[in-house]
Amino acid sequence: ANSRLGAAMRAARRRAAGPQALLTEHVENLWLNGYRSLTRPANALLGRLLPTTEGDSPEKTARAAAANSNALRAHFAELTLAFVQPFTALLHPEVPPEGDGPLPSATPPDAAPFSHSQFLDSLQGTKFSGLLLERFGSQSNCLAFYKRFLESPNFASWFERRRQAAMLWQEEVWAEAV
């Protein structure tokens, strides 16, 4: 019980310090009670980052910063592509059938309605990329992360913007084919 009291007091002090607490040490779940991280550190990436020290020349520090920035950008670009990949089938517009014959319709088909539960069900049998599995540690953590993303306030607007862009492109392609 004494260790719980000490932990509670330390947590209260860190919360009272607010963002200042983050300047001195890494604090997980500072403001989110009950939050459980689904990701693991990218140890391979962390091992590739170039360290600098206070005594390094400004040129060496700048080179290390540029190399680290490139490594981080490449890593997160790959991670983002791997994460977004299951959505591509839902955001891929339909092209008109090829050939010289008339089109079955002068207008492109409407996009199928999106269902969170159907999408999550479709992921059940999916073998996620090695990059996602390395980062999340398991298939179930990947699925839980997709579920969190679908329930986030950002998903609906992100998905709708992507779908509108795909439908606009589809309409232009069908108009050219007519």
Side-chain angles (χ1 to χ4, degrees):
N2 199 16
S3 64
R4 281 188 188 167
L5 180 60
M9 289 179 66
R10 284 190 299 279
R13 273 190 239 117
R14 280 195 304 252
R15 269 209 189 124
Q20 192 67 26
L22 298 174
L23 297 175
T24 57
E25 62 179 304
H26 172 74
V27 179
E28 193 144 330
N29 308 331
L30 180 61
W31 292 284
L32 302 171
N33 287 335
Y35 176 81
R36 183 178 81 83
S37 176
L38 295 172
T39 60
R40 300 183 325 188
N43 291 325
L45 171 67
L46 294 172
R48 286 194 324 256
L49 297 179
L50 303 173
T52 59
T53 61
E54 245 180 74
D56 288 344
S57 69
E59 295 83 19
K60 181 178 179 185
T61 303
R63 282 192 307 272
N68 290 345
S69 177
N70 288 338
L72 289 167
R73 288 173 190 272
H75 172 78
F76 283 106
E78 288 175 43
L79 194 60
T80 300
L81 285 174
F83 179 74
V84 172
Q85 192 278 327
F87 293 102
T88 55
L90 301 169
L91 299 171
H92 187 72
E94 199 168 314
V95 295
E98 291 188 26
D100 293 333
L103 291 175
S105 169
T107 59
D110 289 332
F114 179 75
S115 163
H116 288 202
S117 59
Q118 286 178 348
F119 178 74
L120 289 171
D121 288 345
S122 74
L123 292 179
Q124 291 292 334
T126 301
K127 177 71 173 143
F128 293 109
S129 76
L131 185 61
L132 287 178
L133 288 174
E134 174 188 325
R135 196 62 196 268
F136 290 99
S138 70
Q139 189 86 1
S140 62
N141 280 352
C142 284
L143 290 170
F145 193 78
Y146 276 103
K147 186 175 188 297
R148 281 186 188 176
F149 180 56
L150 294 176
E151 293 170 352
S152 75
N154 300 322
F155 173 74
S157 62
W158 173 83
F159 187 77
E160 196 53 40
R161 279 195 318 273
R162 297 298 184 278
R163 182 170 264 191
Q164 283 175 353
M167 294 300 106
L168 181 63
W169 180 85
Q170 176 178 284
E171 287 173 12
E172 291 170 2
V173 169
W174 278 69
E176 289 173 10
V178 171

